Amino acid sequence: MSATRMQWLSPRNLRLLNPGRNESLRRGGSGCRSLTLPLSPGRALSGPSATRRGLPKEKMTENRAPPRAKVLTIDTMNPTVRKVEYAVRGPIVQRALELERELSEGMKKPFVEVIKANIGDAHAMGQQPITFFRQVLALCSYPELLNDSTFPEDAKSRARRILQSCGGNSMGSYSASQGIDAVRQDVARYIERRDGGVPCDPDNVYLTTGASDGIVTMLKLLVCGEGATRTGVMISIPQYPLYSAALAELAAVQVNYYLNEEKCWSMDLGELQRSLEEARRHCNPRALCVINPGNPTGQVQSRQCIEDVIRFAAKERLFLMADEVYQDNVYADGCQFHSFKKVLFDMGPEYSDAVELASFHSTSKCYMGECGFRGGYMEIINMDEEVKAQLTKLVSVRLCPPVPGQALMDLVVNPPQPGEPSHDKFIKERTATLSALAEKAELTEQVLNTVPGISCNPVQGAMYSFPRITIPEKAVKEATDKGQQPDMFYCMKLLEETGICLVPGSGFGQREGTHHFRMTILPPKDKLTILLNKVKEFHQRFTQQYS
Amino acid sequence: PTAREGITRHAATNHGQRRAKAWRPVEGLNCQFSVRRSARDITNMSQQAANGLPCRGKVLNLDNMNPNVRRVEYAVRGAIVQRALQIDKELKEGVKKPFTEVIKANIGDAHAMGQKPITFLRQVLALCAYPDLLDDNKFPDDSKQRARRILEACGGHSIGAYSSSQGIECIRQDVARYIEKRDDGISSDPDNIYLATGASDAIVTMLKLLVCGKGRDRTGVMISIPQYPLYSAALADLAAVQINYYLDEDKCWSLDIAELKRAVTAARQHCNPRVICIINPGNPTGQVQSRQCIEDVIRFAKEEHLFLMADEVYQDNVYAEGCKFHSFKRVLFEMGPEYSTTVEMASFHSTSKCYMGECGFRGGYMEVINMDPEVKAQLTKLVSVRLCPPVPGQALLDLVVNPPQPDEPSYDKFMKERTAVLAALAEKAGLTEQIFNTVPGITCNPVQGAMYTFPRITLPQKAIDKAKAEGQVPDMFYCMKLLEEEGICLVPGSGFGQREGTFHFRMTILPPTEKLKFVLQKISDFHIRFTQEFS
């Protein structure tokens, strides 16, 4: 939005910019007042301010408790919230929880347990926490343990350092809203090490409540305009549904670009260009989101591809958002994680001084899988100083990210060093987790590709497989008759028959007419083998049943 | 003025102005910004043109960012706190100041002010973080038992697993039981409990659900003035209409129904009031509402068809004799089914305040009552996008609502620690009121509850003029000067809202008694000096 445009909008109009474009409510017509309409027949004659007052007073006293509708109903709630969808915890997961309850109540099912392969929740799938991390967290929680000789010295010295940077030496005090200074410094050093020395300023690092929080905050900053000037945000399809959910809530325009399934879910510049040009006809595309390694698609982007994307963002003047929470999760031979920041700086000052970028990381994935702590950070590059001040102000309203999560983030970016007592154990645990994941990535691809009607790209990275499934025409029809997406129908049936909980591809987006599901590769190997075989048998059964 | 004063004042005003400019809402400043921007763009252009890139400004700048975000203000961590952090740094670097440390009395951050964590809570958290300690005989059995119970409720028995988005089920059950006990048996359904990332998270989520409409149909939300600025910030962010109702300072910051009526009637001319927010015990004003007052508010909410939001995070912080915490829920149910089956309400609680003061863990919950089931489903969906509140905070909340019982080994120690904290707070509440009221030009209501005093200060006309000449709100000018001269960080009343022409500041009563006495003395001296200087 231009400066002149901002000027003629009065403050009051500005306040009303956000609430969603041309919102038409799902039922019952034309606005928030629709529900009170049938209750107050005299309303049509009275002026607008009277209708806002709701029912006439006399009516209330007559009936004592008049049968008024609720203040807050599905028709009078925030319409942008209604449009939010989040498949990873959607109806299929609700049903899985129900089944679990039924099982525990002794109900008979064709399976003995529900296996939740719907979400990247490593510990829930049996992965053990890294000992060093948990030792330091215990020390930080209950500092009397610092006198306990059973804890290694390096764990104690980390804990002391973290506590010293907390107000009153307690994790129970608020931190700075941007995150604890010392932790941000450690994050900056980690990034520098990772990126072969490209400098990182701790002032550009914001600690967050998981990466999700950072992503939503960044999107919120970016959204403005109305109608054809409303901010558009380019996201990959398939995408991680946090993006579509956040955009719906912010009433921003979702601009889809499709990944190329035939080329291992790679990103295609022609497709980016197509999508952008179409979007420019009805909105103002200002941001491009990239997830690398990919969720749900598991691809790892080549250096060349990242360069192309950066060039595209520079040319088209897009703010780049790089979701890099799976940066340690790269399994395939010949694949390597390249950070957007590193590539940006390798491309020289023409790009590294100009392209605005935010990169996100988290404690929830990689080898640690500590989802429950809600730790994360974002690094912003080339952000306008005034906008940065606004960002700092915005995050201050929520006071601070959870301090235990910040402490954990510190350990992730500053793990035991060679020569420290915990180093060997740490490396052993880390390597065990990552190599088990690599093995499971391969196993998954291999087994699924033996099933006629399932085809699966290699899981190069991250923790998911997103195979394509062929659903017979009869099944598609039955699903459509039921008002269900065919892959939801498929996954729901799989859940009811086998107890396996996956997420239908439609929750992530997919090319029209194709069907997929997302499955994590996190269950322990023996369990994963059983799971894959069950999916295999189910798919064959399903195909026969509907042929 | 001495040379030193001259310099510090200069530094202060410079800083204050710059901040105020950077953070001030859009109105009236566009012109300045645009002029400044275009000047800078020209520099950028020439640099970039040489590099062969398009000669335009940033993709994201102050003029094209989310205008709602620009209007957000949050004084508790605003300009004055930024300056306090800077002074802290300067002190560390050896810069000479008329004081040796910055005392931050701006925020209710108990541990930062030296309050010690409750041993039992931290023992259980350590056990949950590192379950190997369950074999350690240093830990009392009840702490181990709690830890085991929490871990069993976590996926893979780890607090590193995501919980369900609404919060761990057994913790929600414990919360429900706690509410039932607190409210003398009025039933609470765990399905109506949502755990949250501190109470702030839940409050923002609830407000978000409620906002709709455009123009004159836009949702209006009634908030007290003075208010806790989370509310105004969230409303700005959501582009909802803020409706102010004023608390009665002359009657100990009590809530007056006639004022509520005035506010809602006036608001109906330009928006659609749908919500009333109450903070009890009050922040920043420290009043504790009477049962009668709560009844009146509930009646008002019903008559005016408003959703009631009760911020009750200070429910254990009641100090004044004759005052007692009454939960909105309990009063609602005692008013009979005519009210208890109709009035929609959400109540908020947190692990950050009361006797535990565990702010860093970001634990909290809300209970929703009479919420439309379809809306509840939408709420559940909405919170699922953020996956779950931090699990250590959930665990902590569990311990707060289910503390050691009389027959358990940790009970005595727990009670001793809890009582010590609350008694010290009560003492400090009394002390603060007493000392401030001896200072001419400061008047202070009793701190009946919560953890703040919000005294009214008389500012000389000359000081007001000077502040205005420097583009500052007078109480910001006052607080900034106090910070520069005494190293004490308070929040100006303007950050919370106050009646036109009155001035206040908010100060926490959290510093240890001796330090608090010192702070109170310093402020008193400063106030007298300030008054003289500008008379």
Side-chain angles (χ1 to χ4, degrees):
Chain A
M1 188 189 288
S2 73
T4 37
R5 202 184 148 81
M6 296 282 292
Q7 279 163 27
W8 62 255
L9 285 170
S10 76
R12 193 169 145 67
N13 287 340
L14 273 173
R15 207 187 302 139
L16 302 167
L17 272 184
N18 189 32
R21 305 141 295 122
N22 308 321
E23 202 51 57
S24 63
L25 292 176
R26 187 156 51 93
R27 331 178 198 152
S30 60
C32 294
R33 278 182 268 140
S34 58
L35 248 190
T36 56
L37 221 157
L39 299 174
S40 54
R43 195 180 146 278
L45 297 171
S46 51
S49 63
T51 61
R52 256 189 305 278
R53 233 170 258 135
L55 274 180
K57 283 272 157 62
E58 316 82 81
K59 191 137 190 165
M60 273 180 50
T61 40
E62 266 169 34
N63 299 343
R64 301 203 55 196
R68 267 203 287 197
K70 300 245 183 216
V71 176
L72 181 60
T73 67
I74 194 94
D75 294 316
T76 62
M77 66 175 280
N78 188 332
T80 64
V81 170
R82 250 176 51 193
K83 275 195 281 187
V84 166
E85 281 184 49
Y86 189 67
V88 174
R89 295 209 153 184
I92 200 136
V93 185
Q94 301 289 325
R95 179 63 189 141
L97 292 174
E98 246 170 56
L99 285 172
E100 263 181 343
R101 201 171 297 175
E102 290 172 15
L103 277 174
S104 73
E105 285 163 2
M107 226 183 260
K108 277 265 177 294
K109 301 273 168 195
F111 46 88
V112 291
E113 64 164 337
V114 174
I115 303 175
K116 289 194 215 104
N118 60 299
I119 188 165
D121 192 357
H123 291 200
M125 285 288 111
Q127 185 182 311
Q128 292 308 302
I130 300 285
T131 306
F132 177 76
F133 292 174
R134 294 309 194 88
Q135 284 175 331
V136 179
L137 287 169
L139 290 162
C140 289
S141 300
Y142 188 48
E144 281 192 31
L145 292 171
L146 286 165
N147 304 317
D148 191 319
S149 56
T150 55
F151 286 85
E153 276 312 313
D154 50 353
K156 289 186 188 175
S157 72
R158 294 311 151 96
R160 274 194 207 98
R161 181 158 176 277
I162 291 168
L163 288 173
Q164 273 160 17
S165 54
C166 292
N169 295 341
S170 166
M171 281 210 297
S173 51
Y174 291 122
S175 76
S177 302
Q178 198 173 344
I180 297 172
D181 245 2
V183 177
R184 288 190 291 114
Q185 283 160 12
D186 288 349
V187 168
R189 278 197 291 265
Y190 160 82
I191 294 173
E192 287 177 354
R193 242 176 9 243
R194 181 197 70 188
D195 291 342
V198 175
C200 173
D201 182 348
D203 277 354
N204 289 338
V205 175
Y206 287 74
L207 304 188
T208 56
T209 308
S212 305
D213 174 42
I215 292 168
V216 173
T217 302
M218 211 36 247
L219 287 172
K220 183 184 281 182
L221 273 185
L222 277 157
V223 170
C224 75
E226 267 185 304
T229 66
R230 189 71 181 161
T231 294
V233 177
M234 301 181 71
I235 63 173
S236 63
I237 298 293
Q239 53 117 17
Y240 175 54
L242 167 69
Y243 290 90
S244 50
L247 295 177
E249 196 188 311
L250 292 165
V253 182
Q254 174 177 329
V255 179
N256 296 337
Y257 65 88
Y258 288 84
L259 301 176
N260 189 341
E261 183 165 14
E262 276 67 45
K263 289 193 182 154
C264 204
W265 296 115
S266 64
M267 245 174 109
D268 177 52
L269 270 188
E271 167 62 12
L272 284 180
Q273 199 70 53
R274 175 208 64 79
S275 141
L276 182 76
E277 268 153 33
E278 278 183 30
R280 285 220 165 107
R281 285 186 220 133
H282 61 93
C283 70
N284 178 19
R286 301 178 63 208
L288 169 59
C289 302
V290 180
I291 312 175
N292 177 51
N295 174 7
T297 38
Q299 83 285 15
V300 175
Q301 292 185 343
S302 68
R303 203 186 171 293
Q304 184 57 50
C305 170
I306 294 173
E307 253 188 47
D308 293 344
V309 170
I310 291 174
R311 228 171 258 124
F312 176 78
K315 180 170 68 97
E316 302 293 348
R317 293 184 46 69
L318 299 169
F319 192 105
L320 251 181
M321 290 178 56
D323 180 338
E324 298 177 321
V325 300
Y326 297 98
Q327 54 190 268
D328 290 337
N329 298 106
V330 175
Y331 317 117
D333 270 335
C335 283
Q336 202 201 324
F337 170 73
H338 302 275
S339 80
F340 267 78
K341 185 184 177 193
K342 165 98 162 85
V343 176
L344 177 67
F345 278 76
D346 286 349
M347 288 166 75
E350 185 187 340
Y351 292 93
S352 66
D353 290 347
V355 175
E356 292 150 74
L357 168 74
S359 155
F360 306 90
H361 196 18
S362 157
T363 58
S364 305
K365 310 298 166 189
C366 299
Y367 62 92
M368 51 280 180
E370 294 276 14
C371 312
F373 282 80
R374 313 309 295 121
Y377 75 75
M378 67 172 162
E379 185 193 12
I380 50 166
I381 291 148
N382 290 323
M383 183 179 270
D384 182 284
E385 281 304 317
E386 288 173 318
V387 175
K388 213 172 120 184
Q390 293 285 328
L391 170 61
T392 308
K393 176 194 72 177
L394 180 62
V395 297
S396 79
V397 179
R398 294 297 187 92
L399 297 164
C400 69
V403 176
Q406 296 187 46
L408 185 59
M409 191 78 241
D410 188 56
L411 304 170
V412 168
V413 295
N414 184 21
Q417 299 305 304
E420 290 186 322
S422 303
H423 182 256
D424 290 351
K425 186 168 191 179
F426 168 77
I427 293 294
K428 212 174 118 196
E429 290 175 349
R430 181 184 196 275
T431 313
T433 300
L434 289 176
S435 58
L437 282 170
E439 202 184 327
K440 292 187 279 189
E442 210 182 317
L443 179 74
T444 304
E445 179 200 349
Q446 211 181 313
V447 175
L448 289 178
N449 276 331
T450 63
V451 188
I454 298 187
S455 65
C456 175
N457 270 317
V459 183
Q460 298 174 330
M463 7 184 103
Y464 315 97
S465 171
F466 196 71
R468 181 155 168 183
I469 48 177
T470 310
I471 299 185
E473 200 44 54
K474 262 197 209 166
V476 173
K477 187 166 181 312
E478 189 172 326
T480 318
D481 289 348
K482 280 185 165 179
Q484 257 181 347
Q485 292 286 342
D487 50 12
M488 172 64 92
F489 174 77
Y490 177 97
C491 288
M492 207 51 114
K493 216 162 145 58
L494 174 74
L495 175 64
E496 297 288 347
E497 292 181 18
T498 65
I500 296 169
C501 178
L502 308 178
V503 192
S506 47
F508 304 87
Q510 54 200 353
R511 283 211 182 264
E512 182 81 36
T514 69
H515 304 293
H516 301 78
F517 60 73
R518 185 184 86 162
M519 182 189 117
T520 73
I521 58 166
L522 291 172
K525 198 181 161 196
D526 48 343
K527 206 179 227 177
L528 182 66
T529 312
I530 296 171
L531 189 153
L532 289 166
N533 282 321
K534 281 191 165 191
V535 172
K536 180 177 178 171
E537 286 161 23
F538 170 81
H539 188 83
Q540 286 162 344
R541 212 164 51 236
F542 183 89
T543 309
Q544 266 175 357
Q545 189 186 342
Y546 289 99
S547 291
Chain B
T2 64
R4 180 184 63 73
E5 277 171 336
I7 288 164
T8 44
R9 198 173 330 127
H10 178 72
T13 47
N14 254 357
H15 183 84
Q17 273 178 332
R18 201 173 68 233
R19 278 287 154 194
K21 203 180 281 173
W23 282 13
R24 193 180 294 174
V26 192
E27 297 91 53
L29 280 166
N30 287 313
C31 185
Q32 267 170 283
F33 282 126
S34 327
V35 170
R36 214 147 29 107
R37 174 161 316 287
S38 41
R40 202 177 56 193
D41 281 352
I42 291 166
T43 334
N44 279 350
M45 271 182 216
S46 46
Q47 278 167 3
Q48 288 184 346
N51 295 338
L53 268 187
C55 9
R56 279 172 293 185
K58 299 266 184 197
V59 173
L60 179 60
N61 61 47
L62 206 54
D63 294 327
N64 64 20
M65 67 174 280
N66 187 330
N68 296 331
V69 171
R70 264 179 71 176
R71 267 192 304 275
V72 166
E73 283 187 52
Y74 189 65
V76 175
R77 295 212 151 181
I80 197 135
V81 185
Q82 302 289 325
R83 179 64 190 141
L85 290 174
Q86 224 173 57
I87 293 179
D88 241 352
K89 212 171 276 180
E90 289 170 21
L91 279 173
K92 271 191 201 123
E93 287 160 2
V95 178
K96 277 265 177 294
K97 302 270 171 194
F99 46 84
T100 53
E101 64 162 337
V102 176
I103 300 174
K104 292 196 205 91
N106 60 299
I107 188 166
D109 191 358
H111 290 200
M113 285 288 112
Q115 185 181 311
K116 292 280 165 273
I118 302 287
T119 307
F120 177 77
L121 304 186
R122 294 308 195 88
Q123 284 175 331
V124 179
L125 288 171
L127 290 162
C128 288
Y130 188 49
D132 281 8
L133 293 171
L134 287 166
D135 302 325
D136 191 321
N137 50 26
K138 275 195 299 292
F139 287 84
D141 277 336
D142 49 352
S143 67
K144 289 187 186 175
Q145 197 194 318
R146 295 307 152 95
R148 277 198 201 95
R149 182 156 175 275
I150 291 168
L151 289 172
E152 270 160 28
C154 292
H157 298 176
S158 165
I159 54 170
Y162 291 121
S163 77
S164 85
S165 302
Q166 198 172 346
I168 295 173
E169 200 167 329
C170 86
I171 298 180
R172 289 191 287 114
Q173 284 161 5
D174 287 351
V175 169
R177 275 197 293 265
Y178 160 84
I179 294 172
E180 286 178 354
K181 217 156 58 196
R182 182 196 71 187
D183 292 342
D184 213 12
I186 293 163
S187 71
S188 169
D189 182 348
D191 278 353
N192 289 338
I193 308 291
Y194 288 75
L195 305 192
T197 308
S200 305
D201 171 44
I203 291 169
V204 173
T205 301
M206 211 37 247
L207 288 172
K208 187 181 283 173
L209 272 184
L210 278 155
V211 169
C212 75
K214 281 188 197 199
R216 295 183 60 169
D217 277 334
R218 190 70 182 158
T219 294
V221 178
M222 302 181 70
I223 63 172
S224 63
I225 296 295
Q227 54 117 15
Y228 175 55
L230 166 70
Y231 290 90
S232 49
L235 295 178
D237 193 353
L238 292 165
V241 182
Q242 174 178 327
I243 303 170
N244 298 335
Y245 65 87
Y246 288 84
L247 300 176
D248 188 347
E249 183 165 17
D250 299 329
K251 290 191 184 154
C252 203
W253 296 115
S254 64
L255 211 155
D256 176 44
I257 296 300
E259 167 61 11
L260 291 182
K261 284 237 162 75
R262 180 206 61 76
V264 81
T265 309
R268 287 226 158 93
Q269 303 307 312
H270 61 94
C271 71
N272 180 17
R274 301 178 67 207
V275 194
I276 179 167
C277 301
I278 310 274
I279 313 176
N280 178 49
N283 175 6
T285 37
Q287 82 285 13
V288 176
Q289 292 184 343
S290 68
R291 201 186 172 291
Q292 183 58 48
C293 171
I294 294 172
E295 250 188 50
D296 293 345
V297 170
I298 292 173
R299 230 171 256 125
F300 172 81
K302 182 172 168 61
E303 260 168 43
E304 302 291 342
H305 208 45
L306 300 171
F307 192 104
L308 190 52
M309 288 177 58
D311 180 340
E312 299 178 320
V313 300
Y314 298 98
Q315 54 190 266
D316 289 337
N317 298 107
V318 176
Y319 317 117
E321 268 183 62
C323 284
K324 197 181 157 213
F325 170 73
H326 302 275
S327 79
F328 267 79
K329 183 183 177 195
R330 179 172 179 173
V331 176
L332 176 69
F333 277 75
E334 286 172 357
M335 287 167 76
E338 188 189 342
Y339 293 91
S340 67
T341 60
T342 59
V343 175
E344 292 151 73
M345 192 187 114
S347 157
F348 306 90
H349 196 16
S350 158
T351 58
S352 304
K353 310 298 167 187
C354 300
Y355 62 91
M356 51 283 180
E358 294 277 14
C359 312
F361 282 81
R362 315 305 298 120
Y365 75 77
M366 69 172 159
E367 184 187 19
V368 294
I369 293 151
N370 290 324
M371 183 179 267
D372 183 291
E374 282 178 313
V375 175
K376 219 172 112 183
Q378 293 285 327
L379 171 60
T380 307
K381 175 194 74 178
L382 180 63
V383 297
S384 79
V385 178
R386 293 296 187 93
L387 297 162
C388 70
V391 177
Q394 295 188 44
L396 185 60
L397 181 67
D398 188 53
L399 305 170
V400 169
V401 295
N402 183 20
Q405 297 305 303
D407 55 344
E408 290 182 320
S410 302
Y411 180 74
D412 290 346
K413 187 168 193 180
F414 170 79
M415 283 312 284
K416 214 175 118 195
E417 291 175 345
R418 180 185 195 275
T419 312
V421 172
L422 290 177
L425 282 171
E427 192 198 346
K428 292 188 276 188
L431 185 73
T432 304
E433 180 201 348
Q434 205 184 314
I435 294 189
F436 273 151
N437 277 331
T438 64
V439 185
I442 300 187
T443 56
C444 174
N445 270 317
V447 183
Q448 298 174 331
M451 8 184 101
Y452 315 97
T453 175
F454 196 69
R456 182 157 168 183
I457 47 176
T458 310
L459 301 183
Q461 191 55 45
K462 267 195 202 165
I464 296 174
D465 294 342
K466 179 137 204 282
K468 282 183 181 155
E470 291 177 5
Q472 258 186 349
V473 183
D475 52 10
M476 171 64 94
F477 175 76
Y478 177 95
C479 288
M480 205 54 109
K481 206 161 148 59
L482 174 70
L483 174 63
E484 296 289 346
E485 294 183 15
E486 303 289 356
I488 295 167
C489 180
L490 307 178
V491 190
S494 48
F496 304 88
Q498 52 200 353
R499 283 213 182 261
E500 182 81 36
T502 69
F503 303 108
H504 301 77
F505 59 74
R506 186 185 85 163
M507 182 187 117
T508 72
I509 58 166
L510 292 172
T513 309
E514 283 318 301
K515 201 177 227 175
L516 181 66
K517 280 185 189 161
F518 173 80
V519 170
L520 291 168
Q521 195 53 55
K522 287 266 187 193
I523 295 176
S524 306
D525 294 349
F526 169 82
H527 187 82
I528 294 166
R529 206 166 62 237
F530 183 90
T531 308
Q532 275 172 353
E533 187 184 335
F534 290 100
S535 289

